[in-house]
Amino acid sequence: MISPSILYQINTHQKLDLGFGTCFPLLLFIYQQVTDALVNYGKLKYIEQMDLQNLSQLSSKADQSKTAKSFAELEGKYAIEAIQNIRTVATFNQEEFFINKYEDAFNNDFKSRMFKIQTQALGKAIANSFLYFIHVTAFSYRASLVENGEMIFDQVFRVFIVINFASMSVGRSTSAMPDYNLAKAAARRILALRDQKSTIDPYDDNGSKLNNARGNIKFHDINFAYPTRAKRLVLNKFNLTCLEGQTTALVGSSGCGKSTTISLLLHFYDPKNGRILLDGQDIQTLNVNWLRSLIGYIQQEPILFDRTIAENIVYGINDRQVSFEEVQKAAKQANVHDEIILFPKGYNTHCGGVGDTQLSGGQKQRITIARALLRKPKILLLDETTSALDNKSEGIVQNAIDKVRAGRTCLTIAHRLTTIQNSENIGVVEHGSVREQDRHEEVLRKKGFYYKLDQATVEVS
Ligand SMILES: Nc1ncnc2c1ncn2[C@@H]1O[C@H](COP(=O)(O)OP(=O)(O)OP(=O)(O)O)[C@@H](O)[C@H]1O
């Protein structure tokens, strides 16, 4: 910017004009440099925050106190909440909610940082320009001496100044290079992640929605491998029928593919071969959001968000207002209302984030059951819902589950046979396929894996 004008003056042996005409562009140049460097630094900070490897660190630093939460902390909070609980978020169609919240916090944070950066840059530019003002004054004075014939060596003088200023400019402009390179590497990772396209788009409005879905499910000859281990078939000719209003239980050794069936039914993945049918229609042809809205999904680890109990129960209902009476009714059905009202703040008790709550494991699990119930799901998916609980809590939660699964198609995965013996259908999974499928007594009679598991349970108790 400034160098060509100085060089021009050397070439033409004109006097170096170091008055305000030169100083002002210099000031602007420095201002620009400092602003760029600080903005780059600011961007790097954003990218660092987005760096997934650092998310757990951010999580541990998250301050629960409302007043201390800056926009940056809010950004981290929303990102961590959404990523840690990605399946629950997807099941409840809450992706857009989190994106909006994150964008709001990000934009506010960006605005406040930009203001700070510009103020800092202006301050630095003014401070740095003092040196140039001194040079300007001194050199202008000397130039006038030369002009008056009182001084010579003007060429030497100019070259000295050009080198002096040029090296300072180069030094300043390259000072941001390490930050720039770091930011570039971090941005590459983030952009690669952003550009990954899922073949299953929850925002896709296409796909049919069945009128009066009944909840008959059929896994037909399913072969499936996870994308990260494409050669290893987790499900291999998997066949299972879950009839409307009935409970189908899956048992089998660890890693045999039970939970994978739930991921497929929620349409997190597509099978390699075979079809999953809902009321006779392939779920790949159904609208993803609509399909998920039919399903209540309760996992082994109850996922509660950093909100009140009432808000956690209502979570995921986007299309209507939910009255407090409805929330209470769901909590009563889930056997947790009597315990909620004993908390000083009742339904306004804050649940806290992961691992930070005054609720017991059993209470948390029953809150997630109430949440599932409020959506009036046609289909309930239960993945080892009680296995993290002690015997007493397990009994209470199981009692709640038995009430809520009545009249719904329920696919349940369990390690403890006691919780599934009264299921209408029990499927025994081995190496990714269903080997036996019938009622408890019938599967027992086949004296296979289920029989051994039953014997082992009897011996333990
Ligand atoms: N996201 C994933 N990517 C790659 N492999 C996976 C993924 N999730 C599970 N697997 C693998 O798929 C296989 C089946 O896992 P799945 O969770 O369905 O088993 P499971 O029968 O439910 O086991 P458990 O009873 O221990 O929960 C396992 O070998 C597991 O390591």
Side-chain angles (χ1 to χ4, degrees):
M1 237 172 116
I2 195 76
S3 303
S5 106
I6 294 174
L7 287 171
Y8 172 76
Q9 292 184 48
I10 291 169
N11 287 339
T12 53
H13 294 273
Q14 288 178 354
K15 288 208 175 64
L16 188 66
D17 176 13
L18 282 173
F20 279 93
T22 305
C23 182
F24 191 65
L26 260 179
L27 181 64
L28 283 182
F29 176 70
I30 295 158
Y31 176 71
Q32 177 88 35
Q33 292 285 317
V34 176
T35 307
D36 284 353
L38 288 171
V39 168
N40 277 337
Y41 180 72
K43 280 181 187 161
L44 176 65
K45 284 291 160 204
Y46 281 117
I47 290 162
E48 277 174 355
Q49 276 176 18
M50 290 282 289
D51 190 332
L52 298 181
Q53 287 172 351
N54 292 337
L55 282 178
S56 56
Q57 281 179 334
L58 280 176
S59 172
S60 64
K61 286 179 192 165
D63 186 353
Q64 297 301 312
S65 129
K66 267 184 192 165
T67 48
K69 272 178 190 156
S70 68
F71 293 126
E73 282 173 321
L74 276 178
E75 279 166 47
K77 176 172 133 29
Y78 289 126
I80 291 160
E81 234 182 23
I83 291 167
Q84 278 183 338
N85 307 319
I86 188 68
R87 288 183 175 220
T88 309
V89 171
T91 310
F92 285 100
N93 301 326
Q94 289 296 288
E95 295 95 329
E96 201 140 356
F97 169 83
F98 273 101
I99 288 170
N100 290 341
K101 286 281 183 195
Y102 184 88
E103 278 181 350
D104 281 352
F106 185 98
N107 289 335
N108 286 329
D109 189 16
F110 189 76
K111 267 185 223 152
S112 72
R113 278 181 197 242
M114 276 306 286
F115 177 73
K116 257 194 233 161
I117 284 168
Q118 283 169 341
T119 317
Q120 281 173 4
L122 187 62
K124 284 203 177 203
I126 291 169
N128 285 343
S129 66
F130 269 113
L131 177 68
Y132 299 99
F133 279 115
I134 291 166
H135 280 186
V136 166
T137 314
F139 295 147
S140 297
Y141 174 62
R142 285 175 196 166
S144 70
L145 291 179
V146 171
E147 197 171 41
N148 297 334
E150 295 175 49
M151 260 186 89
I152 51 174
F153 307 122
D154 59 326
Q155 267 182 305
V156 177
F157 195 50
R158 288 173 200 160
V159 170
F160 166 75
I161 291 169
V162 167
I163 291 172
N164 190 15
F165 278 90
S167 60
M168 275 168 55
S169 301
V170 169
R172 284 182 191 284
S173 62
T174 53
S175 66
M177 285 308 281
D179 279 353
Y180 173 73
N181 286 332
L182 272 174
K184 217 163 87 173
R188 203 175 294 127
R189 290 204 301 275
I190 295 299
L191 295 177
L193 192 65
R194 191 201 63 176
D195 291 343
Q196 270 184 15
K197 289 266 177 286
S198 169
T199 50
I200 302 158
D201 182 2
Y203 301 113
D204 190 352
D205 286 333
N206 294 320
S208 41
K209 302 176 182 178
L210 306 180
N211 290 326
N212 300 321
R214 298 199 316 275
N216 283 301
I217 299 161
K218 193 172 167 69
F219 291 83
H220 181 68
D221 274 349
I222 299 291
N223 282 1
F224 175 73
Y226 282 97
T228 48
R229 294 163 79 189
K231 286 193 179 141
R232 186 180 174 269
L233 276 188
V234 172
L235 297 183
N236 191 359
K237 295 266 175 201
F238 184 94
N239 286 289
L240 182 76
T241 303
C242 311
L243 289 180
E244 169 186 359
Q246 295 194 356
T247 295
T248 299
L250 287 182
V251 291
S253 51
S254 180
C256 67
K258 301 180 298 292
S259 303
T260 303
T261 59
I262 284 186
S263 298
L264 289 177
L265 192 50
L266 281 163
H267 206 176
F268 290 146
Y269 304 95
D270 282 325
K272 261 182 145 162
N273 306 103
R275 297 190 306 157
I276 301 172
L277 306 170
L278 173 68
D279 295 339
Q281 183 141 353
D282 192 333
I283 63 166
Q284 286 191 37
T285 66
L286 297 177
N287 180 280
V288 181
N289 265 342
W290 175 82
L291 171 72
R292 291 179 184 167
S293 71
L294 287 185
I295 297 174
Y297 174 35
I298 304 168
Q299 307 168 65
Q300 179 178 353
E301 279 296 325
I303 303 293
L304 293 185
F305 294 94
D306 187 8
R307 298 172 201 166
T308 65
I309 292 177
E311 285 166 342
N312 265 287
I313 294 178
V314 175
Y315 182 83
I317 306 219
N318 307 319
D319 53 354
R320 65 184 176 94
Q321 284 290 321
V322 179
S323 69
F324 185 54
E325 285 67 35
E326 276 184 272
V327 173
Q328 283 183 309
K329 191 176 163 201
K332 280 178 189 165
Q333 284 177 305
N335 286 353
V336 68
H337 168 81
D338 293 344
E339 288 158 67
I340 293 174
I341 54 174
L342 292 181
F343 288 117
K345 290 188 179 171
Y347 280 83
N348 289 325
T349 304
H350 226 262
C351 294
V354 176
D356 173 30
T357 174
Q358 48 184 312
L359 301 166
S360 74
Q363 286 167 338
K364 283 195 217 168
Q365 196 58 291
R366 280 173 283 145
I367 288 172
T368 65
I369 294 172
R371 177 202 288 163
L373 274 181
L374 204 55
R375 306 175 87 202
K376 302 187 174 67
K378 267 271 160 227
I379 300 164
L380 264 184
L381 304 179
L382 311 174
D383 195 349
E384 301 190 17
T385 315
T386 58
S387 57
L389 304 175
D390 60 34
N391 283 347
K392 187 167 171 243
S393 300
E394 180 186 13
I396 300 169
V397 173
Q398 191 57 45
N399 193 288
I401 289 173
D402 287 342
K403 268 200 296 182
V404 303
R405 70 188 171 88
R408 298 191 158 92
T409 308
C410 178
L411 177 61
T412 178
I413 292 171
H415 275 140
R416 296 182 210 171
L417 299 195
T418 45
T419 58
I420 54 160
Q421 281 172 356
N422 55 356
S423 305
E424 281 87 357
N425 188 24
I426 295 171
V428 182
V429 185
E430 280 181 74
H431 306 298
S433 47
V434 177
R435 296 294 156 98
E436 300 155 7
Q437 188 180 171
D438 217 322
R439 281 186 167 270
H440 171 71
E441 298 76 18
E442 300 305 318
V443 201
L444 264 188
R445 223 167 274 149
K446 291 176 185 156
K447 299 230 164 162
F449 176 87
Y450 188 75
Y451 176 79
K452 285 185 208 150
L453 209 62
D454 186 66
Q455 292 300 301
T457 312
V458 172
E459 275 167 32
V460 170
S461 55

